[in-house]
Amino acid sequence: MLTALEQGVKGGIWFSLMDKVFSRRNLEAAAQRVVGNEGAAGVDHVTVAQFSDVLDTNLDRLHDELRRDTYVPQAIRRQWIPKPGSTDQRPLGIPTVRDRVVQTALRHVLEPIFEKDFATHSYGFRPQRGCKDALRRVQELLKAGYVHVVDADLKSYFDTIPQDRLMDLLRRKVADSRVLTLVETFLKQGVLDGLSTWTPEEGTPQGAVISPLLANIYLDPLDHHMAERGYAMVRYADDFVILCRSADEAAQALAEVQAWVAQAGLQLHPSKTKLVHAEQEGFDFLGYHFHGSAKRWPRQKSRNKLYDNLRSKTRRKEGHSLSVIIADVNRTLVGWFGYFKHCLRHSLSTIDKWVRMRLRSLLRRRRGLRGRGRGDDHHRWPNAYFATQGLFSLVTAHELACQSPCG
């Protein structure tokens, strides 16, 4: 298959793929990835650990079911989780472990076929690409003077992809009816939400391993459409911006996107899609707020999500020792800094001060005092005290990072 990918197949269409999906080596590789990602159990209540305990038996069964076309996925368990920085909730779909293994095996086969022709400015859920590559590209364009921005937002994209049109795009490169049927089976997978079960008529299942690839396949024509017209677009899954040199060009780009989205059966969010000037109001993208060509900081939702996480670790009634609390806080701060280390120093110092305030409030409580850490508390527990306790400092980490080549 790899040789064929390099040399190309006749007509660019693949006719025999199912044997590659159910090959034992592929299923083993898929299971290894699913086990490594861990995750919750699905509707059958089988955990990753339980699946692994009898791995050979489970893979033998999946191999036989896929080979004989008797494999049937189970319903997806829907769980509602809070949206960061708001009171709303968003749905999360949790397939069973066995279904995650099959979807991963299917993705192993389909991804190289479509990846080969994906546009260069698409960064989401692709091999050897990620958020930082997309952010770096945005920064390059801003520095080059592309400061008029189309800030686009697709409304409920994953839930609204027309399934028939998506399957038509798959058929352009895949003619194996068994593989196409398997993809359709996953698109029509039932959803268990509480005590009710329903079958989606459009969209790709949230939380499914195969969904990000299918979502990229559906938006790939938009990528090439905009590139052919000379627009500098940066897309990460359903989140994208188009950077232009003039306001007129940005307006034209928005009109192109609006027309394409309408004919594709999708919707742009009316209030979240807008034209902005990067050096005036700025714009949000992938967790950052960009302002001008050199300034960026965590957007408000990113900070709110961090604060919510840290609040749960620094409650005043927290019973663990300070060293245990700080170790737990540090794990969150270190991971957060790994992504947001390219921010302005000031935005990081604000968070450092907030974390120390939370810890001072906790220490006040242990002395029988009420209220937030303030006033004399800064003398009782100065910044240096928390440094000696090992508290991770975003500002210090930022300074150290910028002493080496910082980019």
Side-chain angles (χ1 to χ4, degrees):
M1 183 175 177
L2 291 173
T3 302
L5 279 169
E6 293 173 1
Q7 298 176 354
V9 292
K10 188 175 181 179
I13 300 177
W14 294 77
F15 287 89
S16 180
L17 292 172
M18 193 62 187
D19 60 318
K20 298 167 182 63
V21 175
F22 64 66
S23 78
R24 182 59 189 242
R25 289 180 61 187
N26 187 21
L27 289 172
E28 288 172 354
Q32 187 174 7
R33 294 186 72 168
V34 171
V35 171
N37 291 335
E38 298 181 346
V43 295
D44 60 359
H45 305 295
V46 175
T47 65
V48 168
Q50 291 169 333
F51 188 90
S52 300
D53 287 342
V54 284
L55 185 61
D56 286 340
T57 301
N58 283 324
L59 295 186
D60 285 342
R61 185 180 297 119
L62 288 175
H63 172 80
D64 288 340
E65 289 178 3
L66 290 165
R67 182 172 61 85
R68 298 172 185 272
D69 295 328
T70 59
Y71 167 80
V72 178
Q74 295 172 277
I76 293 175
R77 179 168 66 87
R78 172 158 285 189
Q79 184 173 335
W80 294 88
I81 60 175
K83 273 190 175 183
S86 82
T87 58
D88 296 334
Q89 291 186 314
R90 67 180 180 89
L92 177 66
I94 305 174
T96 62
V97 178
R98 71 191 298 272
D99 290 343
R100 298 205 293 266
V101 171
V102 174
Q103 287 191 20
T104 303
L106 180 60
R107 180 171 179 168
H108 284 170
V109 173
L110 292 179
E111 187 170 64
I113 295 172
F114 290 91
E115 174 66 29
K116 185 171 179 288
D117 298 317
F118 277 163
T120 57
H121 60 255
S122 165
Y123 295 91
F125 306 107
R126 295 182 59 188
Q128 306 341 223
R129 285 169 169 255
C131 288
K132 290 190 176 181
D133 301 302
L135 292 167
R136 194 175 295 115
R137 177 59 177 157
V138 169
Q139 197 74 42
E140 289 171 356
L141 290 167
L142 289 172
K143 288 182 178 179
Y146 292 76
V147 294
H148 296 270
V149 182
V150 180
D151 186 1
D153 187 278
L154 288 170
K155 187 176 181 180
S156 303
Y157 172 60
F158 281 84
D159 291 331
T160 58
I161 298 174
Q163 294 180 356
D164 55 345
R165 300 189 195 185
L166 173 60
M167 292 305 302
D168 288 341
L169 288 174
L170 284 168
R171 292 188 187 97
R172 292 183 183 181
K173 293 189 177 183
V174 176
D176 188 324
S177 61
R178 297 171 71 191
V179 167
L180 292 170
T181 298
L182 185 59
V183 173
E184 275 194 294
T185 301
F186 283 124
L187 290 177
K188 301 296 185 184
Q189 228 173 330
V191 178
L192 179 64
D193 191 352
L195 297 177
S196 61
T197 303
W198 57 280
T199 301
E201 296 182 358
E202 59 182 12
T204 61
Q206 293 271 9
V209 177
I210 197 71
S211 287
L213 173 61
L214 297 178
N216 274 335
I217 290 171
Y218 198 72
L219 285 182
D220 186 56
L222 172 62
D223 294 336
H224 290 286
H225 176 83
M226 299 304 288
E228 288 165 4
R229 282 155 180 72
Y231 293 112
M233 177 172 164
V234 182
R235 182 174 70 80
Y236 191 97
D238 58 334
D239 194 1
F240 63 91
V241 289
I242 305 166
L243 294 95
C244 305
R245 288 188 176 275
S246 70
D248 286 344
E249 184 187 357
Q252 292 168 8
L254 177 57
E256 288 281 356
V257 170
Q258 289 170 329
W260 189 94
V261 165
Q263 65 81 30
L266 303 173
Q267 278 187 295
L268 287 171
H269 199 292
S271 61
K272 294 181 180 179
T273 300
K274 52 189 179 295
L275 298 175
V276 299
H277 194 293
E279 292 179 342
Q280 295 173 8
E281 62 267 49
F283 62 97
D284 294 340
F285 186 59
L286 297 182
Y288 276 90
H289 179 80
F290 287 85
H291 199 93
S293 60
K295 297 178 181 178
R296 55 175 162 165
W297 54 81
R299 69 173 186 165
Q300 189 61 50
K301 281 189 176 180
S302 300
R303 293 198 297 272
N304 290 345
K305 183 177 179 180
L306 175 66
Y307 290 150
D308 288 344
N309 191 330
L310 292 174
R311 278 192 189 94
S312 67
K313 301 174 185 289
T314 57
R315 293 189 179 97
R316 295 175 198 176
K317 295 182 180 180
E318 177 61 57
H320 291 104
S321 67
L322 184 63
S323 61
V324 170
I325 294 170
I326 285 178
D328 195 19
V329 167
N330 283 352
R331 280 189 287 272
T332 297
L333 290 175
V334 169
W336 195 85
F337 179 75
Y339 186 76
F340 288 104
K341 62 184 176 183
H342 301 295
C343 290
L344 292 175
R345 183 181 183 279
H346 172 72
S347 63
L348 301 178
S349 65
T350 300
I351 296 169
D352 275 346
K353 291 176 183 176
W354 185 87
V355 172
R356 289 192 294 264
M357 179 276 294
R358 293 286 299 179
L359 293 175
R360 288 187 180 107
S361 300
L362 184 152
L363 292 171
R364 277 177 62 86
R365 170 84 182 203
R366 293 183 178 181
R367 286 198 171 194
L369 302 173
R370 302 180 65 181
R372 298 172 59 176
R374 60 187 185 276
D376 290 342
D377 297 325
H378 290 266
H379 299 292
R380 292 192 190 101
W381 304 291
N383 294 354
Y385 170 79
F386 294 108
T388 61
Q389 297 297 313
L391 178 64
F392 182 82
S393 167
L394 296 171
V395 168
T396 301
H398 183 265
E399 291 171 350
L400 291 173
C402 288
Q403 286 174 8
S404 57
C406 184

